[in-house]
Amino acid sequence: MDKELFGEQFYRRAIEQEGVDYNFYGDWQRSYAKMVISITDIIKTAADDRESLIVDVGCACGVTLRAFKEANVFGHHLGVEISDYLINHGKPTHGFSDDEMIQCDITEDKLPLGDNTVTLLHCTHTLEHVTEDKLDFIIKEFKRVLNPDGFGFVVVPAIKPGNPKEVVAHEETHFIVQTMNWWRAKFAKYFKIDNGIRKAFKESKFGPTVGDESTFYDHYNAGWTIFGLRKEK
């Protein structure tokens, strides 16, 4: 994958066209991390385990990884990202060491992790940016590194009612524009799909804005398609 696609121009375009600053950190990120920890119930696996590890695949500037780190659930934290620009922009801002944010092209390179080492694999709004011919390699890597008791939390924009094709394809670096069932079949080749994650997402009371009772589900259900991934035991 061409890392220059996700360099400074990509960063500036997100700010100008979508009002999204990938280096901004605040209440949204804190609440989101708490929501993911809650609905995956990963704390049962990570609690009191100094070797527990969260990996954020496609971490951009590291704001979500920072929120997970501040939640103080996992023993270790790692972000992988193809873009040197995003890493170098975010790492000093959010206080990460060189070992906590690593440049990695997930379409070509194995994840810099041992087998069965990851407690929570987090990957949101990343896989649509790769090409379909690379997806199986990436998902197999997810399977390789995930602990048998771990959880994979993946979010993609998928075609579904309320989220038509033209919405999914609006960003020029969205190379995979597919239906929810297409994505599900891809993940099901390698993982057991945890169907309970969507119900937990719907019922979660965490929201993006302090003082507003609306939830992440209320704001993002149309655009987010969430998959919970577990290894077959």
Side-chain angles (χ1 to χ4, degrees), residues 34-180:
K34 292 175 183 177
M35 185 269 293
V36 173
I37 291 167
S38 172
I39 68 175
T40 59
D41 205 20
I42 199 64
I43 198 166
K44 289 181 179 178
T45 303
D48 300 321
D49 181 1
R50 293 184 179 179
E51 298 307 312
S52 62
L53 168 66
I54 177 169
V55 174
D56 189 10
V57 178
C59 68
C61 294
V63 295
T64 304
L65 187 66
R66 174 178 171 180
F68 281 119
K69 187 173 183 178
E70 290 184 358
N72 199 30
V73 170
F74 304 95
H76 302 278
H77 315 81
L78 175 67
V80 295
E81 168 60 46
I82 190 173
S83 170
D84 291 330
Y85 176 83
L86 295 180
I87 290 175
N88 293 332
H89 200 52
K91 188 163 56 176
T93 304
H94 305 294
F96 288 114
S97 69
D98 291 342
D99 292 333
E100 291 176 309
M101 289 184 73
I102 295 176
Q103 195 276 333
C104 177
D105 180 354
I106 62 170
T107 67
E108 301 290 343
D109 305 327
K110 287 193 169 187
L111 292 170
L113 297 158
D115 297 355
N116 305 314
T117 53
V118 176
T119 311
L120 177 62
L121 189 146
H122 177 265
C123 181
T124 68
H125 295 90
T126 295
L127 296 183
E128 68 273 15
H129 294 287
V130 308
T131 53
E132 290 186 16
D133 62 305
K134 301 293 186 179
L135 194 57
D136 280 271
F137 171 78
I138 296 167
I139 300 173
K140 283 191 281 188
E141 273 298 282
F142 287 1
K143 182 179 180 180
R144 179 183 69 81
V145 301
L146 190 65
N147 186 290
D149 294 319
F151 197 94
F153 184 87
V154 178
V155 182
V156 293
I159 301 168
K160 61 182 180 180
N163 204 44
K165 182 176 181 179
E166 55 268 25
V167 173
V168 177
H170 80 283
E171 162 60 50
E172 63 186 61
T173 60
H174 284 190
F175 300 124
I176 300 181
V177 180
Q178 288 288 357
T179 65
M180 180 170 59

Side-chain angles (χ1 to χ4, degrees), residues 116 142-144 146-152 184 187-195 228-233:
N116 305 314
F142 287 1
K143 182 179 180 180
R144 179 183 69 81
L146 190 65
N147 186 290
D149 294 319
F151 197 94
R184 181 181 180 85
F187 293 125
K189 287 173 62 179
Y190 304 101
F191 288 99
K192 178 181 178 182
I193 306 295
D194 187 328
N195 293 313
L229 310 179
R230 293 188 184 275
K231 278 188 173 181
E232 295 278 5
K233 293 185 179 180

